[in-house]
Amino acid sequence: MEFSTPDAIRQIRSNRQQKIMIDGHSKCQLEAMTFAINYHRLHIIKTHDSLTITGAVPVIRNDKFLINP
């Protein structure tokens, strides 16, 4: 299913016992939440023993208005 960033973080936090896979690599819960912050929308697939996360719409950083680039 596709989730927005806050909903994806809630899904990650609620599944503490499951293994979390991000782009084919096993990650901890904190790394998964950090990955979620970099995307506006994420695809999360739940199975009986794991949670698979992939990013759908990335956050685009605009460097034009930074004071110290």
Side-chain angles (χ1 to χ4, degrees), residues 22-39:
I22 299 175
D23 296 331
H25 302 287
S26 181
K27 302 288 183 181
C28 70
Q29 191 177 21
L30 183 60
E31 288 174 321
M33 287 189 278
T34 304
F35 177 79
I37 290 173
N38 294 320
Y39 290 90

Side-chain angles (χ1 to χ4, degrees), residues 3-17:
F3 293 97
S4 64
T5 302
D7 293 333
I9 291 174
R10 284 187 202 104
Q11 287 291 324
I12 293 166
R13 289 187 63 201
S14 68
N15 295 303
R16 294 177 189 232
Q17 284 77 24

Side-chain angles (χ1 to χ4, degrees), residues 47-69:
T47 60
H48 67 283
D49 64 342
S50 69
L51 198 67
T52 304
I53 303 169
T54 55
V57 180
V59 173
I60 298 171
R61 183 176 151 178
N62 189 353
D63 293 335
K64 186 167 78 172
F65 298 108
L66 289 177
I67 295 172
N68 295 324

